[in-house]
Amino acid sequence: MEKLTSKEEEVMELIWQIGQCAPKDVSSLYPEPQPSANAIAQVFQALEKKGYLTHETKGRGFVYRPIVDKQAYGRGRLSSVINRFFRDSYMSVVSALMQEEKVTEADLLQYLADLKRKEG
């Protein structure tokens, strides 16, 4: 997946929330002063070019829908962070999470038990 700019990611977040939509639908979700539908349409076009959206004609305009789901995008971003900051070591990530007390030993043991149950 091609990396998104912060603005593209912000717009994708809104698209994932509402599903099939037009640029004006996303524009209306912003607080005042809202970006113009044309500005959002440009972001939609960039997202489509990068393979995140597809569109169909509806009336005189287009309706877009995501073709990359939020979880798939998140997994890709996580993988990139792990590669960049942890030298592609998932155990280093687990170690960091344990040091920060975000994951406990009990959490890990429960996860391992769940894995064994699924394999068995």
Side-chain angles (χ1 to χ4, degrees), residues 78 81-83 85-100 102-103:
L78 179 61
V81 167
I82 291 169
N83 183 38
F85 296 105
F86 295 93
R87 297 184 187 166
D88 213 20
S89 169
Y90 286 75
M91 288 308 297
S92 292
V93 174
V94 171
S95 177
L97 291 171
M98 289 186 74
Q99 288 173 9
E100 293 291 321
K102 305 289 185 193
V103 174

Side-chain angles (χ1 to χ4, degrees), residues 107-120:
D107 293 334
L108 289 175
L109 291 172
Q110 182 61 52
Y111 180 72
L112 289 173
D114 292 345
L115 278 177
K116 285 181 182 178
R117 206 173 8 258
K118 286 179 184 176
E119 291 175 355

